[in-house]
Amino acid sequence: MSPKGRPRAFDRDAALERAMRVFWQKGYDTASMADLTQAMHINAPSLYAAFGSKAELFREAVELYTNKIGQRIKHSLPTATTAKEGVADFLMQTAISHTDPGQPHGCMVVMGALHGDEGPGTPSSLLKERRLDNVTQLRQRLARAVREGELSETVDIQQVAEFYATVQHGMSITARDGATLEQLKKTADAAMAAWGGLTSP
C-alpha cells in the first residue's frame, strides 16, 4: 500500500529486481536516477515513495542480490561432504554465475561501489561488509573441517579463507572484462590445485 492507503500502480518486487540489475551493471555512483526510473518503469516520485532514497534502494538491491545470486553460489559450502568439495563448488558456481549470459557479468558485491565514502551505512561500507562476510563463511566451513578432522588444527584457516575469497573477487573482475566460463573454470581449478599446500599441517 502507498502512504495514503492506495495500492501502488507497479509491482515493487519486479521494480526492485530491475533496479538491482542497473546497479549490478553500472555500480552505485554511475547509475543515475534516470537509469533507474527508466529500468523500473516508474517516475522519480514513485521511486522515492516506495524506497525512500537511492541509497535505500541500493541497500534493498544488495539484499536481493545476496539472497538470490549470492546464496546460489555459496549454497554448497555448509552442505558439501568436505570443505574441499564445498570450496571447489563455491568457485565453480562463481564461474557459472559471473558469466551467465542472462545477467550482468561479474559480482555486484565486488563491483557495485568500489569508491566513495566508507562511513557507516554508505554503499561502499555495505558492500565491504558483504565481502568480509564471504571470508567469514569460508572460515566457518574450514573451522568445521578442523573439528571434523578433515584439516589439521595447525592450518591457518583465516589465510585459506582470505585466499579463496580473493580468488573469487578476481574472477568477478575478469568476468566483467570478458573472461569466458571456460577461462574462469581454469582459474577455479588452478586455485583448488593450491589446496594441498595451503592446508598441509
Side-chain angles (χ1 to χ4, degrees):
M1 298 293 287
S2 71
K4 294 183 179 180
R6 295 192 300 270
R8 292 193 182 95
F10 66 93
D11 183 329
R12 190 181 191 280
D13 291 339
L16 176 60
E17 180 153 2
R18 288 191 287 266
M20 177 190 74
R21 286 177 171 266
V22 172
F23 286 129
W24 189 353
Q25 181 65 46
K26 292 177 173 285
Y28 178 79
D29 290 328
T30 306
S32 67
M33 289 301 294
D35 292 328
L36 291 165
T37 54
Q38 181 178 11
M40 297 167 74
H41 305 156
I42 60 176
N43 58 30
S46 294
L47 186 154
Y48 286 116
F51 299 98
S53 66
K54 179 184 176 183
E56 181 61 21
L57 174 61
F58 183 72
R59 187 195 66 76
E60 290 197 37
V62 170
E63 188 70 24
L64 177 61
Y65 178 89
T66 300
N67 292 334
K68 185 172 184 178
I69 308 299
Q71 289 306 313
R72 185 191 311 160
I73 291 172
K74 295 182 285 190
H75 78 278
S76 65
L77 270 179
T79 59
T81 303
T82 66
K84 183 178 182 180
E85 291 173 0
V87 173
D89 190 68
F90 168 75
L91 295 180
M92 194 57 61
Q93 293 303 319
T94 293
I96 293 169
S97 176
H98 289 0
T99 58
D100 186 335
Q103 64 190 28
H105 286 185
C107 174
M108 180 179 174
V109 171
V110 173
M111 309 295 294
L114 293 176
H115 308 290
D117 182 9
E118 293 190 2
T122 62
S124 292
S125 66
L126 172 64
L127 294 191
K128 179 180 178 180
E129 290 172 5
R130 297 305 170 101
R131 291 191 293 270
L132 291 176
D133 185 60
N134 266 5
V135 177
T136 298
Q137 291 189 49
L138 285 163
R139 187 181 66 244
Q140 288 174 342
R141 183 61 184 90
L142 294 166
R144 184 179 131 199
V146 171
R147 293 193 302 271
E148 294 175 348
E150 179 188 350
L151 299 179
S152 167
E153 293 182 356
T154 63
V155 172
D156 186 343
I157 60 173
Q158 179 68 26
Q159 179 189 25
V160 177
E162 289 177 356
F163 173 80
Y164 285 108
T166 301
V167 170
Q168 190 205 34
H169 296 167
M171 292 170 72
S172 173
I173 295 170
T174 54
R176 179 60 62 92
D177 288 344
T180 65
L181 173 59
E182 288 308 311
Q183 287 173 314
L184 292 192
K185 282 183 175 180
K186 288 179 180 178
T187 298
D189 289 342
M192 290 311 301
W195 178 270
L198 290 167
T199 61
S200 60

